[in-house]
Amino acid sequence: MKVAIYPGSFDPITSGHLNIIRRAAMIFDKLIVCVMVNSAKAPMFTRDERVELIKRVVIDLPNVEVDSSGELLADYARRRGSCVIVKGLRAGSDFENEFQMALINHKINPNLDTMFLTAEHQYMYLSSSTVKELGKYDVDLSDFLPKAIIPDFKQRIEAVRQGGNKK
Ligand code: ADP
């Protein structure tokens, strides 16, 4: 069984992430979407909240599992019996960083390879941080976020605005 891992911050999951998940789920027998803890980023949603939001939008994809981990990705993949990491590539700006991470992961775990799926053109410019910026204004978010999570997102933006961020 070919198991792949799609790691990221997913703070929150965007329509661009969901597009990569749907496409990867058609290629592999099983796809594990893993919320990775990144100490360099101060998240808007807790790790458990991010997992719950992802679970809600992949409910129709039976071969997709959602997990979270604070482990090194190469170790996590080994433990989960996966030899493929899936990454989405947007503009050239993603490339340098992703290329470096792919080489390091392969060095640490030589059984592990990284496969890149190119972003769909309509999501090329989309990132969680862009959505968080847009969320501060009165903008229709339905082209950027899965519909099922928009109310949660707006609520959190409002809570942050009022200084009541309950991370
Ligand atoms: P972000 O940069 O949005 O904070 P994450 O760390 O959550 O992203 O990203 C996880 C993975 O998803 C990365 O491989 C990233 O390149 C990819 N990704 C993020 N946004 C998109 C998008 N709009 N289209 C395709 N891939 C994306």
Side-chain angles (χ1 to χ4, degrees), residues 6-20 23 34 36 38 41 50 85-90 94 98 101 115-120 122-130 132 144:
Y6 179 38
S9 308
F10 306 109
D11 186 45
I13 181 166
T14 67
S15 303
H17 293 133
L18 185 57
N19 175 264
I20 297 288
R23 288 158 63 201
C34 188
M36 303 303 291
N38 181 345
K41 290 186 187 174
R50 284 177 271 161
I85 293 171
V86 170
K87 288 292 189 115
L89 262 195
R90 286 164 290 186
D94 273 345
E98 294 292 355
M101 283 199 287
M115 287 181 59
F116 294 99
L117 293 180
T118 48
E120 292 276 3
Q122 70 267 40
Y123 302 128
M124 200 77 188
Y125 54 87
L126 183 57
S127 70
S128 297
S129 39
T130 307
K132 280 184 270 193
F144 309 123

Side-chain angles (χ1 to χ4, degrees), residues 47-152:
R47 163 157 125 164
D48 288 348
E49 286 170 339
R50 284 177 271 161
V51 167
E52 195 277 318
L53 293 175
I54 301 170
K55 280 187 176 164
R56 208 187 295 168
V57 302
V58 301
I59 195 132
D60 62 324
L61 300 171
N63 64 334
V64 175
E65 178 189 324
V66 187
D67 193 9
S68 67
S69 173
E71 285 163 87
L72 198 61
L73 180 56
D75 292 338
Y76 176 79
R78 191 182 284 120
R79 181 167 69 74
R80 296 303 313 264
S82 171
C83 53
V84 182
I85 293 171
V86 170
K87 288 292 189 115
L89 262 195
R90 286 164 290 186
S93 51
D94 273 345
F95 181 79
E96 200 64 31
N97 193 27
E98 294 292 355
F99 195 77
Q100 184 185 22
M101 283 199 287
L103 290 177
I104 290 173
N105 284 325
H106 187 69
K107 164 102 181 115
I108 298 170
N109 178 350
N111 293 320
L112 191 58
D113 267 306
T114 302
M115 287 181 59
F116 294 99
L117 293 180
T118 48
E120 292 276 3
H121 63 92
Q122 70 267 40
Y123 302 128
M124 200 77 188
Y125 54 87
L126 183 57
S127 70
S128 297
S129 39
T130 307
V131 176
K132 280 184 270 193
E133 195 51 40
L134 284 176
K136 296 177 188 165
Y137 306 92
D138 190 20
V139 172
D140 176 11
L141 298 174
S142 54
D143 283 343
F144 309 123
L145 291 179
K147 286 197 177 37
I149 74 158
I150 291 178
D152 301 68

